Amino acid sequence: MLELAPGNVRIALESADSAKRQIAELAGKVNRAKHPDDILTDSVIALASGPLHCDLAPAVAGDRWEKVIAAYEDCESLADRWNELEAEAENVRVNAVRKGAEALRAGKKAPSVAAAILDAETALESCSFVLTESVAELRKARTAYNALWRDRKFLTEYRDSVIADFKVKRAEAAKAFGAIAGAVGETRRRYGTLHDLTVNFLDAIPDESYQYLPMRGTGWAQADLSASLDLLRQQVNENDPLFSGDFLTMPLDEIAGVAEELAEGRKGPGENHWAVEGWSRS
């Protein structure tokens, strides 16, 4: 038992009680500072994912998306800072407990932790406030970005850019297909000849082994390869405007009228695509 004078005992115990109250107050303040996980929720994080534009969009789309990402990165940085401040506040608490215990053992007045508590409290609450404000900025940036998809001028300019590139890519695809189709056809023929020479004429593979080797109608000889080329050939040579892409590239002031004509010509049993379960514009 500590050998302390009554006055010192009273001072030490009162000081210890005061320190405990301050420590408890700090813990309460820390708990009242809103945690980043409660601010930077999944729905907020989703604001910075899923850009709707590609490289062909007008520059304004990229500019506004950059602001979305910058705002989100600010939020992430603040969340990291909050975690650092929380650790610092915990250190304040631990140090206060330690110093209070040391003072009690020495019969001295515990050092005041009020200033440290106030600093830790203010830092955490301020960080939470700034993070909340930054989330508001993120929402504002995403709203500005989303507004582009209701801006007809932007959308029309974007569409014109995509149309021009689509036509170039379609021509390139047709040219590339012509080259690959010929090369694949020749390769299939060479493969068939190689198979016949090796397996049939030179009898290089024993029957007891060959019967377990999946070599008939596989590899370069598989029918699906030929069917795939036929499907690609059909698409490359497609003349129907709906399937070739020409319909979607038409001027906007003409497309509705052409759509009515095409729809009228296709009306009949089984042709109503809206009636097909699960079908939609998207």
Side-chain angles (χ1 to χ4, degrees):
M1 187 172 180
L2 293 174
E3 297 294 334
L4 300 174
N8 288 342
V9 171
R10 179 177 55 78
I11 293 173
L13 290 176
E14 289 178 352
S15 176
D17 288 341
S18 175
K20 287 179 180 178
R21 285 195 300 272
Q22 289 177 325
I23 293 166
E25 181 183 0
L26 170 60
K29 296 294 185 182
V30 169
N31 291 334
R32 284 197 291 274
K34 203 168 185 181
H35 195 280
D37 289 347
D38 297 326
I39 303 173
L40 205 57
T41 61
D42 289 343
S43 61
V44 172
I45 293 173
L47 295 174
S49 63
L52 303 176
H53 70 286
C54 70
D55 58 312
L56 298 176
V60 64
D63 293 341
R64 292 193 183 183
W65 185 251
E66 285 181 4
K67 291 180 180 178
V68 171
I69 297 303
Y72 177 69
E73 289 176 348
D74 286 344
C75 292
E76 282 192 317
S77 296
L78 286 166
D80 291 341
R81 180 55 182 153
W82 196 97
N83 291 326
E84 294 173 357
L85 291 172
E86 184 183 38
E88 292 173 11
E90 177 63 15
N91 287 336
V92 170
R93 186 188 69 81
V94 171
N95 288 333
V97 171
R98 178 178 56 79
K99 291 179 180 179
E102 291 173 351
L104 182 60
R105 283 196 298 271
K108 298 179 180 179
K109 184 177 180 180
S112 175
V113 294
I117 288 173
L118 181 61
D119 288 345
E121 169 197 342
T122 302
L124 276 169
E125 291 183 338
S126 295
C127 190
S128 292
F129 175 78
V130 175
L131 177 55
T132 301
E133 291 295 306
S134 294
V135 168
E137 289 301 313
L138 172 58
R139 293 186 187 281
K140 187 185 300 183
R142 183 63 196 234
T143 297
Y145 175 77
N146 289 345
L148 290 173
W149 309 99
R150 298 186 297 275
D151 184 334
R152 191 170 183 82
K153 181 177 181 297
F154 165 82
L155 294 172
T156 301
E157 184 180 344
Y158 190 4
R159 178 176 182 267
D160 290 343
S161 179
V162 174
I163 286 173
D165 194 66
F166 168 73
K167 290 180 177 180
V168 171
K169 293 295 190 293
R170 183 174 59 179
E172 291 176 351
K175 183 177 180 180
F177 173 77
I180 195 173
V184 170
E186 287 298 318
T187 302
R188 282 169 58 81
R189 283 189 286 275
R190 295 291 184 265
Y191 181 82
T193 301
L194 181 60
H195 179 277
D196 288 343
L197 290 171
T198 305
V199 176
N200 299 328
F201 293 103
L202 293 173
D203 200 20
I205 303 175
D207 290 343
E208 57 271 22
S209 297
Y210 185 78
Q211 62 181 323
Y212 294 105
L213 300 178
M215 298 187 66
R216 291 186 178 181
T218 60
W220 286 101
Q222 61 182 306
D224 287 347
L225 187 57
S226 179
S228 296
L229 285 174
D230 288 342
L231 180 60
L232 285 171
R233 184 177 293 104
Q234 177 184 342
Q235 183 60 52
V236 166
N237 297 325
E238 184 62 69
N239 291 319
D240 188 310
L242 280 177
F243 305 133
S244 69
D246 286 338
F247 172 69
L248 291 176
T249 65
M250 295 184 64
L252 289 175
D253 58 354
E254 298 178 14
I255 197 168
V258 174
E260 291 179 5
E261 293 177 7
L262 292 174
E264 191 65 32
R266 283 175 161 76
K267 285 182 179 178
E271 292 296 331
N272 184 356
H273 294 284
W274 282 105
V276 177
E277 184 178 357
W279 193 89
S280 67
R281 285 181 180 269
S282 58

